[in-house]
Amino acid sequence: MSSPEKIQTLGPDDVIARLRGLREKQPVPFSAFYSSYLGGVVTDPSLMVIPFDDHMVHRGHGIFDTASIVDGKIYDLEAHLDRFHRSAEASKLTPPCSRDEMREIIVQTAAASGQKKGSIRYWMSSGSGNLGLVPAADAETGFFVMIFPGLAYDKRFYTDGMRVMTTTYPIKPALYAITKSTNYLPNVLMQLEAKEKGLDNGVFIDADGNVGEGSNMNMAFVTKDGVLKHPRFDKILSGCTVLRLLELAPVLVTQGIIQDIKIGDIPVEEAMDSAEMMLIGSSIYVAPVVEWDGHVIGDGKPGPVSKAMLQLLEEDMKAGEGRLIDIPY
Ligand SMILES: Cc1ncc(COP(=O)(O)O)c(C=O)c1O
């Protein structure tokens, strides 16, 4: 940061030059960004900006969602758009365009990126216009789409398994947990807390002592008698990945890899006594957990069910009938 005595009033050219300078200092692999405010796509990361007075920035009045690009196709976008619209309604945000237009903007932004693999994150914001709480009278809801390589996870998560801790941060109240808003402070703090302790993630526990979810992923368990268990979805985010896997998992019962599938409350003691534990989400896919609060889960090695679930997901991402949108590069 420049020292306060030297603060200058900048013109548009200075601003562009300085935004470029920022990106040179810290290069980012973002390949395309759509902004409804600009009415177009930019591919220069220095231009991927939104007005500071947008209420998503200074009040957290915004929502988002993330879908994947796999082999030049967008996977399961409709499920993510369903959740995006549910989040918009819960946040009293009026979409700035129809769902069809939104899908088309996402597909065209992905095409402009040229990327065959990665993530698409998109946001709806309550707009700019004042620094109050409720949107300004003439505020226009914003819609933004970013194409980026996706979050990178350590290969060790999949080969050796993850080590997690019960977070000391309270789980979000149900309404905020089921809404994918831009208020991720508890999720950020839980990841930082785990990192500070040399661990890979945290576990939110609800007020009744049942397992909730991780920082940006859901959590499933396999009991010692082979039952795949997942918490109810009324107090945690409805993960598109785990919901799809729960639809696909009956094939694992047929194959004898698991005995049954159950959705319900999972008390911590029961969860700790599992044969397997796994984290599931559209960025991590399916990653086994082998240690929780220093307690070994199962035999301390990634188990067969987490491997089978990962395989099911990867196959669905490649072949999922009716779930893939071709990107017209
Ligand atoms: C809090 C939280 N739980 C669960 C998930 C998993 O959801 P999905 O499978 O749709 O990525 C996410 C990621 O979006 C999340 O942020």
Side-chain angles (χ1 to χ4, degrees):
M1 236 171 100
S2 56
S3 72
E5 304 90 66
K6 291 186 190 150
I7 289 179
Q8 298 163 23
T9 300
L10 306 173
D13 293 344
D14 304 314
V15 171
I16 299 274
R18 286 174 188 223
L19 287 173
R20 291 230 158 90
L22 274 178
R23 296 307 198 179
E24 273 158 26
K25 257 203 311 200
Q26 189 209 16
V28 286
F30 307 150
S31 41
F33 175 72
Y34 167 87
S35 162
S36 62
Y37 293 161
L38 301 176
V41 172
V42 290
T43 55
D44 175 349
S46 16
L47 304 178
M48 297 177 181
V49 293
I50 68 168
F52 184 81
D53 59 324
D54 191 306
H55 287 215
M56 183 166 77
V57 178
H58 63 89
R59 295 295 189 191
H61 193 186
I63 56 152
F64 73 106
D65 218 295
T66 312
S68 305
I69 301 176
V70 184
D71 293 340
K73 296 180 171 66
I74 305 176
Y75 174 64
D76 219 6
L77 182 60
E78 296 314 314
H80 289 275
L81 282 177
D82 284 345
R83 186 171 65 190
F84 193 55
H85 281 84
R86 286 200 304 274
S87 296
E89 203 180 332
S91 307
K92 298 191 189 297
L93 290 171
T94 308
C97 56
S98 71
R99 181 177 171 131
D100 285 349
E101 285 166 325
M102 223 171 248
R103 184 187 309 104
E104 188 53 29
I105 290 168
I106 291 171
V107 170
Q108 285 195 34
T109 309
S113 79
Q115 298 302 312
K116 300 272 156 64
K117 187 177 180 313
S119 286
I120 308 173
R121 187 164 296 165
Y122 41 98
W123 294 260
M124 200 186 290
S125 77
S126 63
S128 54
N130 66 28
L131 291 172
L133 285 151
V134 299
D138 53 354
E140 200 184 294
T141 314
F143 180 57
F144 314 98
V145 183
M146 177 74 90
I147 311 296
F148 66 111
L151 304 181
Y153 292 105
D154 200 325
K155 284 207 170 63
R156 170 183 59 82
F157 288 6
Y158 307 91
T159 53
D160 302 355
M162 298 176 71
R163 295 163 61 231
V164 301
M165 63 176 283
T166 302
T167 184
T168 60
Y169 293 99
I171 193 168
K172 288 177 189 170
L175 171 68
Y176 306 118
I178 63 171
T179 304
K180 204 161 164 60
S181 83
T182 50
N183 306 144
Y184 258 48
L185 184 59
N187 314 58
V188 170
L189 290 173
M190 105 193 292
Q191 252 202 26
L192 280 175
E193 179 181 47
K195 198 171 164 205
E196 281 159 13
K197 295 197 159 33
L199 298 168
D200 302 317
N201 211 308
V203 183
F204 277 128
I205 305 297
D206 73 17
D208 302 319
N210 296 313
V211 173
E213 60 187 335
S215 58
N216 55 333
M217 44 204 77
N218 292 110
M219 266 173 197
F221 300 85
V222 183
T223 63
K224 289 192 168 137
D225 52 0
V227 180
L228 175 66
K229 291 192 92 171
H230 192 279
R232 290 189 282 127
F233 288 96
D234 50 353
K235 293 186 226 160
I236 55 172
L237 194 75
S238 285
C240 298
T241 318
V242 78
L243 284 171
R244 178 62 182 149
L245 276 170
L246 288 168
E247 273 174 18
L248 296 169
V251 75
L252 303 182
V253 178
T254 315
Q255 292 168 354
I257 296 173
I258 53 174
Q259 300 308 312
D260 201 358
I261 302 164
K262 286 198 176 133
I263 311 288
D265 287 336
I266 310 176
V268 171
E269 316 76 67
E270 188 189 313
M272 288 249 185
D273 194 38
S274 297
E276 284 188 54
M277 172 174 179
M278 62 200 88
L279 297 184
I280 301 173
S282 41
S283 57
I284 199 159
Y285 291 8
V286 181
V289 175
V290 295
E291 190 192 301
W292 176 6
D293 288 347
H295 170 91
V296 173
I297 302 292
D299 63 3
K301 296 195 188 92
V305 181
S306 67
K307 278 187 197 144
M309 297 268 281
L310 178 59
Q311 199 180 337
L312 272 185
L313 180 64
E314 287 178 336
E315 280 164 9
D316 198 54
M317 286 179 145
K318 296 221 159 84
E321 213 171 298
R323 287 172 190 271
L324 299 172
I325 299 177
D326 275 312
I327 301 173
Y329 296 101

